[in-house]
Amino acid sequence: MSEEKHWYAFPRPSVTTDIAVFTVDDAQLQILLIERSEAPKGWALPGGFLQVGDRRTELAVAGGGAPPQEKFDFSLEGCARRELREEAGVDVGALHQLGAFGDADRDARGRYVTVAYWAFMHKSQHQPKAGSDAKTVRWCDATALPDLAFDHAEIVKHALRAIASRHLDTGLFIDLMSQQFTYPEFHRTYEAATHRAIDRSSLHRRVLPFLRDAVVDDAQVDLAVHRGAHRPPTVYDKTRAVIAATAPDEPRS
């Protein structure tokens, strides 16, 4: 038997991306899972293989050429976003890279290295639907997971730790909000996502710098969402709040 040949110096494992997408519903942090229709079957995070070209294509792109329009992932994040659309039918805002997972026993099919991401989203803005090799899609309590394929339970643990460690980055949690939201809604959602109680006034002082630039004019408020017996609280626009929260700090004089 002839020795296996490669056009590169060393054999390379396949690369995948997996994405832990979280939302808050009924004061509970939930995670998006797919049920795989292909082996290994079972529940898993959305994700899949990095699409690469043949040798000629890869060398051309590496040299500055234009990447193919189809069946080619220029970046790992692009792969993650494509897999989310194909398998779960959703798009998310910010994707946060969690790390790489490549233990030899993580996948019975062979050596696969995955780069994992996590993201927040609000249920009302996307309607997840199964596609690609996913039979079904469902939201699950992030603290009461079913048995997951591969090492995805470990990836979820890392994601939850990442969220907890970044609780002071309050701007990240805007992605959990609907397009129009109030501060009381943000406060409740933040507490559910971080699993910590926090004084409303204290949190408000931290988020006010970016919320003040996102106030929705009264004429633009969706009264069907924010109707009440008393004067409703100030309503904020999610898109403008995200922009304000992610804008670089002004240089100090």
Side-chain angles (χ1 to χ4, degrees):
M1 181 181 294
S2 61
E3 184 179 354
E4 183 179 9
K5 301 295 184 182
H6 303 276
W7 59 267
Y8 33 79
F10 300 97
R12 299 180 181 180
S14 294
V15 177
T16 65
T17 59
D18 291 300
I19 312 95
V21 180
F22 297 93
T23 194
V24 169
D25 191 37
D26 291 331
Q28 180 187 79
L29 185 65
Q30 299 184 345
I31 189 169
L32 187 66
L33 299 178
I34 65 165
E35 185 178 14
R36 293 174 54 84
S37 59
E38 299 179 359
K41 296 185 178 181
W43 292 100
L45 297 173
F49 290 94
L50 181 74
Q51 293 185 339
V52 300
D54 57 21
R55 180 186 183 189
R56 185 185 300 273
T57 299
E58 290 290 338
L59 289 176
V61 174
Q69 296 297 310
E70 297 181 349
K71 296 183 178 180
F72 185 88
D73 294 318
F74 186 80
S75 67
L76 289 166
E77 181 173 322
C79 173
R81 291 186 182 279
R82 175 184 55 77
E83 287 292 343
L84 268 180
R85 289 191 297 270
E86 291 180 357
E87 290 199 341
V90 300
D91 290 289
V92 295
L95 270 178
H96 311 281
Q97 191 175 118
L98 187 62
F101 299 79
D103 286 357
D105 63 350
R106 67 174 302 271
D107 192 323
R109 299 171 298 176
R111 179 61 71 97
Y112 297 107
V113 175
T114 195
V115 178
Y117 291 83
W118 67 271
F120 285 142
M121 63 174 280
H122 189 274
K123 273 188 176 181
S124 69
Q125 294 183 295
H126 304 280
Q127 297 299 320
K129 58 182 179 180
S132 185
D133 65 346
K135 284 172 50 178
T136 56
V137 177
R138 80 171 191 187
W139 291 101
C140 176
D141 182 348
T143 62
L145 298 173
D147 289 336
L148 298 183
F150 314 113
D151 55 354
H152 287 186
E154 188 66 21
I155 292 175
V156 173
K157 289 180 183 177
H158 278 75
L160 292 173
R161 286 198 290 266
I163 293 171
S165 70
R166 299 189 66 179
H167 68 276
L168 294 178
D169 295 336
T170 48
L172 297 178
F173 297 85
I174 299 172
D175 277 336
L176 287 167
M177 307 311 299
S178 59
Q179 189 57 43
Q180 289 189 355
F181 66 95
T182 65
Y183 174 70
E185 291 169 341
F186 180 85
H187 176 258
R188 291 193 297 270
T189 300
Y190 176 87
E191 287 192 323
T194 59
H195 292 284
R196 63 179 63 226
I198 184 169
D199 178 73
R200 285 181 58 172
S201 298
S202 174
L203 180 62
H204 189 262
R205 286 194 296 271
R206 283 161 39 193
V207 300
L208 186 59
F210 54 80
L211 287 186
R212 64 163 58 99
D213 294 326
V215 176
V216 177
D217 183 270
D218 287 345
Q220 298 175 310
V221 173
D222 186 348
L223 295 180
V225 177
H226 303 289
R227 184 182 291 114
H230 304 287
R231 184 179 183 278
T234 302
V235 176
Y236 302 100
D237 177 77
K238 176 178 182 176
T239 301
R240 288 159 58 191
V242 168
I243 292 173
T246 55
D249 293 334
E250 293 292 333
R252 295 182 180 180
S253 57

